[in-house]
């Protein structure tokens, strides 16, 4: 029986996801296996290689968004999974916003970014 869970996300930009993971000091692999319980593995488009025996992975859906795939029980053994996933989502949101602001026509726009806890 698989221990892997699949969660829908609003993440859609692979390059920004990868750079966000790197910004957080997380090693990134593309087209790799996500490590899970008892040596189980599942293939994903993007893999965050975590300290310990478990990883986080993202696989692209037909609509262009990514699903998060992980053995959440295993990840929680070494990491606070809620804080980890929230920090990845926050970093992604900031990086995505900054990349959108750099688009042509928005160079002179005023942007106010408010981060709330």
């Amino acid at each position: 029986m698989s221990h892997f869970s699949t969660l829908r996300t609003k993440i859609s930009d692979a390059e920004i996801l990868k750079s966000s993971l790197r910004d957080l000091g997380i090693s990134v692999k593309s087209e790799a296996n996500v490590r899970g319980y008892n040596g189980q593995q599942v293939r994903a488009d993007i893999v965050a290689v975590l300290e310990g025996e478990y990883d986080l992975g993202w696989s692209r859906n037909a609509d262009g968004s990514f699903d998060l795939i992980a053995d959440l029980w295993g990840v929680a053994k070494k990491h606070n999974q809620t804080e980890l996933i929230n920090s990845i989502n926050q970093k992604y949101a900031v990086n995505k916003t900054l990349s959108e602001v750099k688009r042509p026509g928005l160079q002179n726009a005023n942007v106010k970014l408010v981060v709330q806890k």
Side-chain angles (χ1 to χ4, degrees), residues 19-40:
S19 68
S20 298
L21 292 167
R22 288 187 200 105
D23 288 350
L24 293 167
I26 299 170
S27 179
V28 180
K29 290 183 180 179
S30 296
E31 300 294 328
N33 289 326
V34 180
R35 298 174 297 155
Y37 175 74
N38 204 19
Q40 291 179 359

Side-chain angles (χ1 to χ4, degrees), residues 8 13 17-18 38 40 56 58 69 73 78 86 88 104:
R8 281 294 241 175
D13 190 310
L17 174 58
K18 289 190 258 187
N38 204 19
Q40 291 179 359
L56 298 175
W58 288 265
I69 302 168
W73 174 84
K78 200 158 190 83
N86 284 345
I88 292 167

